[in-house]
Every structure is written in structure tokens, then in C-alpha cells.
């Protein structure tokens, strides 16, 4: 359990630094398409959170799963709102 937890924390920290570097290197004009693409990744997060609820550690899995689903849903909703706004810029002006 401790080894798996350390590996999970290592992957989380590494993914955080990778995400920070990726976002800082992408030009601002590509942030909106990148956010739209992250909606698919949030879908994977939601599936992973639902799968974690079936593990043997029910209390911890439920709390982490609920937290993961909440943050993923914020990303999905925000991504769709930004994508809708971006696509609205290409429409006809009334």
C-alpha cells in the first residue's frame, strides 16, 4: 500500500509539473483548443473516479472519487463554455 501510494504521489507531482510546463509553452491563441481537448481527459478522470469507488478502501475511495468527479466536472463545464464562446466568435454578427 505504501509503495503504491508513493508511486501515485510521484505520478501526480510529475503530471503537475508537466502540465505547468505545457501550458506555459503553448501560445495564448492555442489555449482554447487545448482546453477543449482537455475535456476528453476529464472524461477519463471521471471513469477512473468511478472505478476507484469499487476498491476495498471504501471511505478513502469515495472521498477521492467525489473530489475527482467534482474537479473533472468543473473542467468539463468550463471547457464547454469556453469552446462555445470560441465558436461564437466565428459566427455571423447580428
Amino acid at each position: 500500500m505504501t509503495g503504491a501510494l508513493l508511486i501515485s504521489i510521484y505520478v501526480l507531482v510529475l503530471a503537475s509539473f508537466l502540465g505547468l510546463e505545457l501550458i506555459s509553452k503553448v501560445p495564448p491563441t492555442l489555449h482554447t483548443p487545448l482546453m477543449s481537448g482537455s475535456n476528453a481527459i476529464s472524461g477519463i478522470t471521471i471513469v477512473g473516479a468511478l472505478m476507484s469507488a469499487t476498491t476495498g478502501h471504501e471511505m478513502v475511495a469515495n472521498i477521492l472519487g467525489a473530489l475527482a468527479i467534482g474537479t473533472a466536472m468543473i473542467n468539463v463545464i468550463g471547457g464547454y463554455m469556453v469552446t462555445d464562446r470560441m465558436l461564437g466568435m466565428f459566427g455571423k454578427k447580428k
Side-chain angles (χ1 to χ4, degrees):
M1 174 65 189
T2 305
L5 181 64
L6 287 176
I7 290 174
S8 298
I9 291 172
Y10 175 74
V11 169
L12 176 68
V13 170
L14 190 62
S16 298
F17 282 119
L18 180 66
L20 182 65
E21 283 295 316
L22 179 69
I23 291 296
S24 66
K25 303 285 188 234
V26 171
T29 55
L30 295 178
H31 279 187
T32 302
L34 184 64
M35 183 144 181
S36 297
S38 71
N39 288 336
I41 296 171
S42 292
I44 295 170
T45 304
I46 292 171
V47 171
L50 291 174
M51 288 179 63
S52 72
T54 61
T55 62
H57 306 285
E58 293 180 11
M59 185 67 171
V60 174
N62 287 340
I63 291 172
L64 290 176
L67 183 66
I69 288 175
T71 54
M73 289 306 295
I74 289 171
N75 192 21
V76 167
I77 292 170
Y80 281 119
M81 290 174 65
V82 168
T83 302
D84 185 51
R85 184 176 174 200
M86 179 186 73
L87 292 176
M89 291 180 189
F90 294 108
K92 291 182 180 179
K93 298 195 180 207
K94 297 176 183 173

